[in-house]
Amino acid sequence: MPVAASAVYFLNLRGDVLINRLYRDDVGGNMVDAFRMHIMQTKELGTCPVRQIGGCSFFYMRISNVYIVIVVSTNANVACAFKFVVEAVALFKSYFGGSFDEDAIRNNFVLIYELLDEIMDFGYPQNLSPEILKLYITQEGVRSPFSSKAQLQQPLDKPVPNATLQVTGAVGWRREGLIYKKNEVFLDIVESVNLLMSSKGSVLRCDVTGKVLMKCFLSGMPDLKLGLNDKIGLEKESQLKSRPTKSGKTIELDDVTFHQCVNLTRFNSEKTVSFVPPDGEFELMKYRITEGVNLPFRVLPTIKELGRTRMEVNVKVKSVFGAKMFALGVVIKVPVPKQTAKASFQVTSGRAKYNPSIDSLVWNFTIS
């Protein structure tokens, strides 16, 4: 079932209520006092994001210096609740110029109340797409002086949109009539390598999580296609065996999540990502790879205890990629005991320093 939230609270780090919205009458208005007394004052904020106090459940998440708390009195969908919080924060950032903190909330009380009335009805989440909500909530938020506008260019004209058709139409994430003087598409692929290695240097677990970020400034209603050299693993094994072997490198993606604009039917049949993109910046897809991962580095640490108060750490980093590639901004953090008072270094390249705030030795260098 959906969230069925009874109330939503925005609190600062002291527990003061910045703004709140009651959607149902099945909880009292003093529920935030129970959250402050049983969770914030007992310093148990980091143990579990879901707590039950009395007959109510509290789902909370910290964004910057603000706690967003959802109170429910029934058996609600926890994943849907946190997804609602993440999408709501992205919506607020689109109105506030990319910032979401206590100051942004205090400067945009009226706008936040108007958005809360639109994105949730009687405790059930509604449309949270910034592209659609900006069609009929045209009020601009008070931007932080440190925020920067995300768009590189603006449409040549701003026609009066049909909000009703936009919400109920087949392409609800993009409005019609967009015209740009220069059509541009930017695509970025961001990947993170997660590695677990034993003390002897053998790899225990390794996977790569990546996401495809796009920024589109196109006129009209374009239909884009993105080809991937992968096998995805969505076909049956018999079909894979009957298919002739293709030349070139293939990548097996284990978990793939697409934006709502992607045509899944065409992807299953043609193995191409076909979509009508939203206007501006969005995340097209996320994926995970667990097999065939080529590690860019090998880290060989050696730790020796020279006494009760001294230790020696020798860290060797070896690059395993080709000679034509290079790595910039490589950072290695070596954790040390919390009682460390002084550290000395000998590095072959780059520079190193002891950071007592994170109890680690930080080594910065470049491999070319």
Side-chain angles (χ1 to χ4, degrees):
M1 61 179 296
V3 176
S6 300
V8 177
Y9 292 93
F10 293 79
L11 311 176
N12 59 13
L13 299 182
R14 297 185 302 272
D16 302 329
V17 179
L18 302 176
I19 193 172
N20 69 298
R21 182 69 170 85
L22 300 178
Y23 293 101
R24 293 167 174 260
D25 55 359
D26 54 353
V27 297
N30 59 347
M31 296 307 299
V32 66
D33 297 331
F35 176 80
R36 186 187 302 112
M37 181 182 304
H38 293 277
I39 299 179
M40 297 195 71
Q41 294 181 359
T42 56
K43 307 298 182 181
E44 295 183 0
L45 287 169
T47 57
C48 179
V50 180
R51 292 291 302 275
Q52 288 186 345
I53 303 176
C56 297
S57 300
F58 293 82
F59 310 147
Y60 57 92
M61 180 182 296
R62 177 178 174 179
I63 307 296
S64 183
N65 56 355
V66 177
Y67 284 101
I68 302 178
V69 183
I70 296 180
V71 184
V72 299
S73 61
T74 58
N75 186 14
N77 190 327
V78 180
C80 184
F82 286 117
K83 180 64 175 179
F84 170 81
V85 173
V86 173
E87 295 294 335
V89 171
L91 174 64
F92 294 147
K93 287 183 178 181
S94 66
Y95 273 93
F96 305 156
S99 63
F100 180 79
D101 50 18
E102 184 177 353
D103 294 336
I105 293 177
R106 294 185 182 276
N107 295 332
N108 297 275
F109 275 141
V110 178
L111 178 58
I112 292 177
Y113 272 118
E114 189 174 0
L115 290 173
L116 289 177
D117 290 336
E118 293 292 338
I119 63 179
M120 182 169 283
D121 185 15
F122 197 60
Y124 295 98
Q126 305 297 313
N127 199 329
L128 288 95
S129 176
E131 293 81 9
I132 297 177
L133 290 173
K134 286 183 179 181
L135 296 179
Y136 50 90
I137 300 181
T138 57
Q139 178 182 351
E140 294 185 359
V142 179
R143 296 176 179 267
S144 172
F146 303 101
S147 65
S148 59
K149 295 183 178 180
Q151 289 190 349
L152 300 178
Q153 55 174 316
Q154 300 292 335
L156 296 180
D157 56 351
K158 295 184 179 180
V160 180
N162 188 340
T164 304
L165 179 61
Q166 189 69 24
V167 174
T168 59
V171 187
W173 53 86
R174 182 182 181 87
R175 65 182 178 90
E176 298 181 354
L178 291 174
I179 300 177
Y180 286 96
K181 184 178 180 180
K182 183 180 180 181
N183 293 320
E184 295 179 319
V185 175
F186 302 91
L187 187 145
D188 294 321
I189 300 178
V190 181
E191 293 185 339
S192 300
V193 180
N194 306 311
L195 172 66
L196 179 62
M197 182 181 296
S198 66
S199 58
K200 298 181 180 180
S202 59
V203 178
L204 301 179
R205 186 178 67 249
C206 181
D207 64 273
V208 176
T209 57
K211 54 185 178 181
V212 179
L213 304 177
M214 295 196 68
K215 188 179 294 184
C216 297
F217 303 101
L218 301 175
S219 303
M221 198 70 66
D223 188 4
L224 305 183
K225 290 185 179 181
L226 179 65
L228 304 174
N229 58 334
D230 58 77
K231 290 184 288 187
I232 298 298
L234 298 178
E235 296 180 342
K236 297 180 180 179
E237 295 183 0
S238 59
Q239 295 177 345
L240 291 176
K241 294 180 180 179
S242 61
R243 178 188 299 178
T245 304
K246 295 182 179 180
S247 60
K249 188 177 180 180
T250 60
I251 302 174
E252 294 186 9
L253 305 182
D254 294 331
D255 302 320
V256 184
T257 304
F258 293 106
H259 189 271
Q260 61 175 341
C261 65
V262 177
N263 190 335
L264 298 180
T265 304
R266 188 178 298 181
F267 173 76
N268 292 331
S269 60
E270 302 178 4
K271 293 297 178 290
T272 58
V273 182
S274 177
F275 58 99
V276 178
D279 186 48
E281 186 175 359
F282 67 100
E283 183 180 282
L284 178 63
M285 60 179 291
K286 295 187 295 185
Y287 59 88
R288 187 169 65 94
I289 303 174
T290 57
E291 296 182 0
V293 178
N294 296 324
L295 300 177
F297 305 101
R298 287 189 61 87
V299 181
L300 306 175
T302 303
I303 301 177
K304 296 181 181 180
E305 294 185 4
L306 304 180
R308 297 182 59 184
T309 60
R310 293 182 59 194
M311 62 182 300
E312 179 181 304
V313 180
N314 186 9
V315 180
K316 295 182 180 179
V317 183
K318 181 180 180 181
S319 62
V320 295
F321 48 79
K324 296 182 180 180
M325 301 179 64
F326 57 91
L328 300 176
V330 180
V331 179
I332 293 181
K333 297 180 181 179
V334 181
V336 297
K338 295 184 179 180
Q339 296 79 12
T340 301
K342 185 176 64 174
S344 59
F345 314 95
Q346 292 181 359
V347 296
T348 57
S349 63
R351 62 182 186 274
K353 66 177 181 179
Y354 169 55
N355 191 343
S357 62
I358 59 176
D359 298 319
S360 299
L361 307 178
V362 183
W363 183 18
N364 297 270
F365 59 94
T366 299
I367 298 180
S368 60

